[in-house]
Amino acid sequence: VRNFLDINSTLKELDASGDFIPVELDGATARVDEDRAELQATYSRALASNLQFQLSLAGEYSRISQSGDLGQTRTFYRPKGFVALDWKAAQGVNIAARLERLVGQLNFFDFIATVDLNQDRANVTNANLVPQQSWRLEVEANVRLGKLGTLNLRPFYEDITDIADQIPIEGGGQAPGNLPSAQLYGIETELTLLS
């Protein structure tokens, strides 16, 4: 797959005489190109009459090049995939577990310097962005409550690295960037009642 973004941003300020004067905005004109490929193999089988297993191994290749003053070319190789179990524990009780390696996608607009006049904010370019990655574990229990309805419980935990967010920069302002790591965990519940 080939993706690209070709952009030219300008900013002008109104001076005292009523003329628009161009303001220099470093990194506002550039072209970002990406060549991306993914390979995936999936295997499924029944481990027992009430237990299903699935394994997916995948890898992603990405080559990103950026033109302009801050231009550079970088190549990424990222492992992806998941392992999952689905267990019919009892009549009306199903439990599924999944451990997954996730890789995010970069927003090409984050490579270009921008000014948001509505928020009075200037974002400089960041040619060193990397995709966000995480390990996610979730367990989902679905319980049928007979004529009452169903109850669904889903605890989850996610260990995230290279978080894509806005970061402060030296000299003031901010830019799209990567934060080192974070953990996200919780439980989601859903109760469906039949009338």
Side-chain angles (χ1 to χ4, degrees):
V1 177
R2 183 169 185 80
N3 302 308
F4 72 91
L5 173 66
D6 202 349
I7 193 165
N8 183 5
S9 299
T10 59
L11 175 64
K12 295 181 180 180
E13 286 184 341
L14 190 64
D15 68 6
S17 63
D19 295 325
F20 285 100
I21 307 300
V23 176
E24 187 174 337
L25 193 59
D26 291 335
T29 300
R31 179 181 171 100
V32 181
D33 289 281
E34 179 190 35
D35 294 313
R36 184 157 44 99
E38 182 175 319
L39 183 63
Q40 181 176 6
T42 302
Y43 173 75
S44 300
R45 69 167 293 181
L47 299 179
S49 61
N50 63 344
L51 183 62
Q52 297 290 325
F53 170 80
Q54 187 174 29
L55 173 67
S56 174
L57 298 176
E60 181 180 294
Y61 161 82
S62 177
R63 180 180 179 273
I64 299 176
S65 59
Q66 179 180 354
S67 67
D69 296 338
L70 302 173
Q72 61 177 320
T73 299
R74 297 174 300 146
T75 302
F76 301 103
Y77 300 93
R78 304 287 190 200
K80 298 166 61 174
F82 66 86
V83 60
L85 289 169
D86 192 339
W87 178 36
K88 294 187 189 318
Q91 183 70 29
V93 178
N94 194 77
I95 299 174
R98 182 181 180 106
L99 175 64
E100 186 169 12
R101 175 68 170 173
L102 300 165
V103 178
Q105 298 298 319
L106 293 173
N107 183 342
F108 286 179
F109 284 100
D110 289 343
F111 288 88
I112 310 298
T114 60
V115 173
D116 188 328
L117 298 177
N118 291 329
Q119 296 185 12
D120 193 27
R121 182 177 76 199
N123 292 335
V124 300
T125 183
N126 186 349
N128 296 312
L129 280 172
V130 298
Q132 179 172 299
Q133 303 168 80
S134 65
W135 285 100
R136 183 177 178 89
L137 172 65
E138 62 182 39
V139 178
E140 184 172 359
N142 188 284
V143 181
R144 291 187 190 140
L145 304 174
K147 294 180 179 180
L148 290 176
T150 60
L151 174 64
N152 188 280
L153 299 172
R154 189 173 65 86
F156 63 88
Y157 172 79
E158 190 167 359
D159 186 30
I160 311 166
T161 57
D162 297 323
I163 302 161
D165 204 346
Q166 295 291 318
I167 61 171
I169 57 171
E170 286 186 33
Q174 61 184 6
N178 294 109
L179 301 174
S181 63
Q183 287 76 43
L184 176 67
Y185 53 89
I187 184 168
E188 295 179 356
T189 61
E190 182 178 329
L191 176 63
T192 303
L193 297 175
L194 303 176
S195 58

